[in-house]
Each structure stands twice: as structure tokens, then as C-alpha cells.
Amino acid sequence: MKKLTLSAAAVAAIFGAQVQAAPGDVQLVGFVSPICEVTGLSTQLVDFGNVSQIQNVSLSGLNMRCNDADGATVTLTSSEGGLESDDNEDFALKYDATFTPSGGLPSFTLNAPGGPGQNDVSVAQPYGGSSALASGVGASINIATTETSPWAGGYSDTLTVNITSN
């Protein structure tokens, strides 16, 4: 009986030593909403005035922000390829639109070629991801006509500023 008790005690000790609490885990997650936008450029009318002379306008108070770690690409697009004549459809005056962000980011220029039949002319500038771009930087656009017209009538174009994450 003594051997049986020792054997039972030994078996209990072996099984007792192997019984441990199983490890548990918890998955931790978080989220930051993606933001990639240019603000301060609501649909507005910018009047050059008399384009029989070289004209220049500036749009300030813009803000560019993109919190993608890979950065963003800003694209300027002229829908008509220049200031299109209302009377002579598909003929447009040349202009330059320069997008200038602050924070040491490089500026770039859309050279709208003017002339006949130029539609959807674009230029793009990629920017690397940075804490400045993620929190937002100021920007401006300077637009200058580079030729004049002697012909009466209206001239118009739509300049679109688009930002997409890289």
C-alpha cells in the first residue's frame, strides 16, 4: 500500500507540474483617417480683365495636406489649354500658372500652350511624405497671361488643382 501511495503521489506530482495556464493574447489596433486635399480654392471667378495686355493674378490662402507616408502628387489641369475665345472656339491664349507651396516644397508651373484645339493640358509634381505635408502647408497660385489678343469678346478656362496620395 505504501508503494501505491507513493506511485499515486508521484503521478499527481507529474500531472500537477504540467498543468499551467495557457497564454492569452490581445490584438491591438489603431487607425488614422486618410486626408489628401487642397483647400481654400472654392469654385470662384478670377477676372484677368482686358487681355489685350499682359495680366497677372495671384490666389493665396490655399492649404495643401496629405497624410500618406508615401506623399502626394499635385496636378494642375487647364481644361481648354489656355484662355479660350468665346467667339473663335478652340483658339486660346497662352498663360502660365505656378503652384507654390510653403515649407520648402518645390513650386511648379503649368504652361498652358494656347493655340487651337488644346484641351486637358496637365502638369504634375510629386511630393515625398513628410510631417509638414501631413499636417498641412500653405500654398498659392500665380497666373500670368503670356500673350495678348486684339480680338473682342470673352476668354475663359477652368484650372483644376488635384492632389492624390502616392
Side-chain angles (χ1 to χ4, degrees):
M1 186 69 152
K2 197 175 192 181
K3 285 185 182 181
L4 184 59
T5 304
L6 287 176
S7 293
V11 169
I14 291 172
F15 286 117
Q18 290 178 347
V19 175
Q20 297 177 2
D25 60 4
V26 174
Q27 186 176 9
L28 306 175
V29 298
F31 186 78
V32 173
S33 295
I35 298 170
C36 210
E37 63 187 2
V38 174
T39 58
L41 222 182
S42 59
T43 302
Q44 56 186 318
L45 178 66
V46 175
D47 188 356
F48 280 102
N50 185 351
V51 292
S52 66
Q53 303 169 8
I54 297 294
Q55 301 293 334
N56 188 8
V57 296
S58 289
L59 306 171
S60 59
L62 309 179
N63 190 51
M64 175 176 72
R65 181 176 178 202
C66 190
N67 64 356
D68 189 295
D70 295 326
T73 298
V74 174
T75 304
L76 297 179
T77 303
S78 165
S79 65
E80 302 298 340
L83 288 173
E84 185 178 63
S85 170
D86 294 342
D87 293 334
N88 186 6
E89 184 99 12
D90 281 341
F91 176 77
L93 297 176
K94 299 175 186 178
Y95 70 82
D96 292 338
T98 302
F99 183 83
T100 305
S102 61
L105 298 174
S107 62
F108 68 101
T109 301
L110 167 70
N111 303 110
Q118 300 288 327
N119 291 327
D120 298 321
V121 176
S122 295
V123 66
Q125 172 68 46
Y127 296 102
S130 67
S131 58
L133 185 58
S135 61
V137 296
S140 63
I141 300 174
N142 186 64
I143 308 164
T145 59
T146 58
E147 68 178 339
T148 62
S149 178
W151 309 116
Y155 292 82
S156 63
D157 189 22
T158 299
L159 178 66
T160 302
V161 181
N162 191 30
I163 184 168
T164 56
S165 59
N166 291 338

